[in-house]
Amino acid sequence: MNSFFSTIFLLISLSLSQSIYSSDIIPPNDGKFIVVLDAGHGGHDPGNLGNGFKEKEIALKIVLQVGEILSRNPNIKVVYTRKDDSFVDLYVRGKIANEAKADLFVSVHCNSHNSSAHGTETFVLGLHVNERNFDVAKKENSVIYLEDDYEVNYAGYDINSPESFIGLTIMQEEFLDQSILLAKSIQDNFTGKLKRVNRGVKQAGFIVLHQTFMPSVLIETGFLTYKPEGSYLNSGKGKSDMATSIADAILNYKRAVDENVGDDFSFEVKDHLPPSGSSSVATATSNNSMEGVTFRVQIAAGSKSIQTKAYNFKGLSPISKEKEGNIYRYYYGEVTTYDQVKVLQQQAIKKGYKSSFVVAFKNGEKVKVKSVINSM
């Protein structure tokens, strides 16, 4: 039992240290939706070689095509963990995503089995519910043994130990719903548009997913060991089909997240403008504060209630939510002076919330910004 808690402690400590490190060096993303695309394996790790097909090559070509499609959208920035036949450690792949402050992490692979199994499946991080899922995760996680210093980078982790998988899930729980949403969209495209056999959305303990701090999925595009499927994935048409379906699912996911909350409420701004006039503006932009008065930035409003997690609001945090009638209003930050809240508003605008505006509260009740500033 002691080793169990030691494993969890080590994994949590590793995750926290990576999270803190990443947040210190991440550059601003200018409000773009960032997708990190990860082609599995590479370099001296070929992946599986079912029927002579090379997983590392197929995965890379699919990923590059996905990136090409997504890059046509001016609001999306694509980051790759590898763009050529190079070997990238699993923990480095996660580090790339974290430092990019990505909105999504998508890892692409090809499956194998010693039977005629075939079809697509998409995984999110979680506890394996059957031996098959456990086997898939162990196969992908075994890549760590090809890495230098793996004993240090994955201290306390044993790919054959279910206890290790329990520890892996802890830090990714807050992203589970979003990960499942994307995974389902991917599987729906594979099944509906490409008529591939649907093996479903599943959970398993993949190290590469554990290393990321955003919604993340690992796609098994098919079985190279099943010759008809391997031939399809190795063909130009097969790779193009898979890439188009994955890219379309990512775009659908982005639309779904964007539509969760409406961000066009400029008609409300007039109620929250500061008074005009140079003397009032000078007062407003000072460092003065008033007892019981706070300022927030309203960034969104909509009829749906969603979690106030940073990944739902383009990385902004903290987010608070209040319901007024049938509408939920979402606010970024809370400060005591007007000049502080204007800084927050500029941050929100850079993230893409161009209609955001300042809201004042007095003793917890919303009031007009004019009335607060005039009484300072």
Side-chain angles (χ1 to χ4, degrees):
M1 185 62 77
N2 287 337
S3 63
F4 167 72
F5 287 111
S6 296
T7 297
I8 291 181
F9 176 78
L10 285 166
L11 289 164
I12 293 175
S13 298
L14 175 63
S15 299
L16 290 174
S17 65
Q18 287 176 329
S19 181
I20 294 170
Y21 173 74
S22 297
S23 66
D24 290 339
I25 63 177
I26 295 168
N29 67 6
D30 299 324
K32 289 191 176 183
F33 186 85
I34 298 178
V35 180
V36 171
L37 298 175
D38 172 52
H41 308 280
H44 60 273
D45 170 26
N48 89 72
L49 300 170
N51 288 300
F53 305 120
K54 294 182 179 180
E55 179 182 4
K56 68 174 184 176
E57 293 180 0
I58 295 172
L60 178 60
K61 288 178 180 177
I62 290 173
V63 155
L64 292 177
Q65 290 187 51
V66 173
E68 182 183 353
I69 295 168
L70 294 180
S71 295
R72 297 171 192 163
N73 187 315
N75 297 315
I76 293 178
K77 177 181 178 180
V78 175
V79 176
Y80 301 90
T81 59
R82 69 179 182 98
K83 295 182 71 174
D84 53 27
D85 185 20
S86 56
F87 180 78
V88 183
D89 294 346
L90 292 188
Y91 79 91
V92 172
R93 296 170 192 252
K95 182 180 176 182
I96 290 170
N98 295 332
E99 291 183 1
K101 208 167 186 178
D103 295 283
L104 284 180
F105 177 84
V106 178
S107 187
V108 176
H109 294 254
C110 304
N111 224 329
S112 66
H113 201 260
N114 57 359
S115 70
S116 59
H118 57 286
T120 66
E121 50 195 4
T122 302
F123 288 87
V124 300
L125 187 67
L127 297 179
H128 64 280
V129 295
N130 58 45
E131 197 64 27
R132 167 63 186 152
N133 293 2
F134 191 27
D135 287 343
V136 174
K138 284 196 293 184
K139 178 188 69 178
E140 299 294 356
N141 291 342
S142 65
V143 172
I144 66 173
Y145 300 127
L146 299 177
E147 300 179 15
D148 295 332
D149 299 323
Y150 73 86
E151 300 96 334
V152 175
N153 294 327
Y154 308 98
Y157 177 74
D158 176 6
I159 68 168
N160 296 305
S161 167
E163 293 175 352
S164 290
F165 286 84
I166 294 172
L168 285 176
T169 66
I170 293 175
M171 297 303 293
Q172 261 276 347
E173 281 184 356
E174 64 177 295
F175 306 119
L176 182 59
D177 289 344
Q178 303 299 105
S179 300
I180 291 174
L181 177 65
L182 174 60
K184 185 178 185 305
S185 182
I186 291 169
Q187 284 300 122
D188 286 348
N189 276 359
F190 288 160
T191 304
K193 295 182 178 181
L194 303 184
K195 308 304 179 185
R196 312 307 297 170
V197 172
N198 184 11
R199 297 175 62 88
V201 174
K202 301 176 179 180
Q203 291 182 263
F206 293 95
I207 293 178
V208 72
L209 298 185
H210 159 258
Q211 301 294 310
T212 62
F213 299 95
M214 71 279 308
S216 304
V217 300
L218 185 146
I219 305 167
E220 295 284 3
T221 55
F223 288 75
L224 301 185
T225 46
Y226 183 65
K227 194 164 187 178
E229 195 156 71
S231 298
Y232 170 75
L233 291 173
N234 197 52
S235 69
K237 181 181 186 310
K239 289 190 283 286
S240 177
D241 286 348
M242 302 305 288
T244 301
S245 290
I246 294 169
D248 184 60
I250 292 171
L251 292 170
N252 285 340
Y253 170 91
K254 183 181 183 301
R255 279 191 291 270
V257 171
D258 290 345
E259 291 169 1
N260 255 340
V261 183
D263 60 0
D264 183 12
F265 35 80
S266 54
F267 63 91
E268 294 182 303
V269 176
K270 60 181 174 54
D271 292 330
H272 301 279
L273 291 174
S276 58
S278 58
S279 61
S280 296
V281 172
T283 301
T285 56
S286 72
N287 263 317
N288 293 340
S289 60
M290 180 185 294
E291 185 177 353
V293 172
T294 59
F295 298 94
R296 305 183 216 171
V297 179
Q298 182 171 323
I299 60 172
S303 58
K304 293 184 179 180
S305 174
I306 66 172
Q307 288 183 305
T308 54
K309 302 291 187 181
Y311 60 77
N312 279 331
F313 297 91
K314 304 179 183 179
L316 293 177
S317 178
I319 301 294
S320 56
K321 172 177 63 178
E322 293 192 4
K323 187 177 182 182
E324 296 180 25
N326 294 323
I327 300 297
Y328 293 92
R329 303 192 188 282
Y330 298 87
Y331 302 100
Y332 169 46
E334 185 170 25
V335 293
T336 58
T337 67
Y338 189 77
D339 63 331
Q340 290 174 327
V341 80
K342 291 299 288 183
V343 172
L344 294 181
Q345 185 184 22
Q346 288 305 308
Q347 292 173 356
I349 290 171
K350 286 181 179 179
K351 287 285 190 178
Y353 293 103
K354 301 187 185 304
S355 300
S356 63
F357 57 88
V358 173
V359 178
F361 292 82
K362 187 171 184 179
N363 299 321
E365 296 292 326
K366 186 188 292 186
V367 295
K368 290 186 177 182
V369 173
K370 292 180 183 180
S371 65
V372 172
I373 292 177
N374 280 334
S375 54
M376 281 182 169

